Amino acid sequence: MSDKPENKQSVASGVDTLRPTSAATHGSPLVKRLFDLTAVLCGLWLIWPLLLAIALWVKLDSPGPVFFRQVRVGRGGQLFRIHKFRTMQIGAESSGQLTVGADARVTRAGRLLRKTKLDELPQLLDVLFGDMSLVGPRPEVPKYVAHYPAAVKAIVLSVRPGITDWASIRMIDENELLGKAADAEKMYVESILPQKLDYYVQYARSYTLWGDVLIIVATLLKIVSR
């Protein structure tokens, strides 16, 4: 599977030509689900001490719960609450849902957890529960899904959202870019979100099990190299 999005202009404009056709083939959803369950169960068995250590660190570092729960939009438009290790101060969302640059709301533990993406590990539970997949379009909050063009939304929400994808890898420094913008909200909606949708559509139309494995490996390599 290519790591480069296709039909960029079409995705941005939301034309109907992006609707899935017989030419848009992808892997078996059943095989993908079995792969997810096997990998997650093995992963949780291997890293549970790390999860406990991070949970204790989060709890001791700042007041508040261990997990951050937020409503996201899943497959078919169904809402679910995502699991993450809490990396921000309590009530941070009241100041906005975007994390911009060196955000003062991020805790000391949260800075490292975000940089290494360890805050995303609890989403293995969301994969286990069936709300997410290991690989797929990142789940957005309803506020930003409302900006998806209708035709694009139908494609993106036809698959389970994932913990990682090519957009997560290629745009891993998104927060830094937003921190340099005069209007972070506008930049996200008008520039960054359309780029993400390019990747999301390409993935939803052509995912394969081997492609998922490549994305997982690329994600790990990207995190280690930062």
Side-chain angles (χ1 to χ4, degrees), residues 117 136-138 162-173 196 199-200 219 222:
K117 298 298 181 180
R138 287 295 296 159
I163 296 178
T164 187
D165 70 328
W166 284 121
S168 300
I169 298 168
R170 302 300 185 195
M171 306 176 71
I172 197 168
D173 296 320
K196 287 184 173 182
Y199 286 103
Y200 295 168
T219 300
K222 186 70 173 183

Side-chain angles (χ1 to χ4, degrees), residues 34-45:
L34 289 175
F35 172 75
D36 282 345
L37 287 175
T38 301
V40 166
L41 289 173
C42 291
L44 288 173
W45 181 75

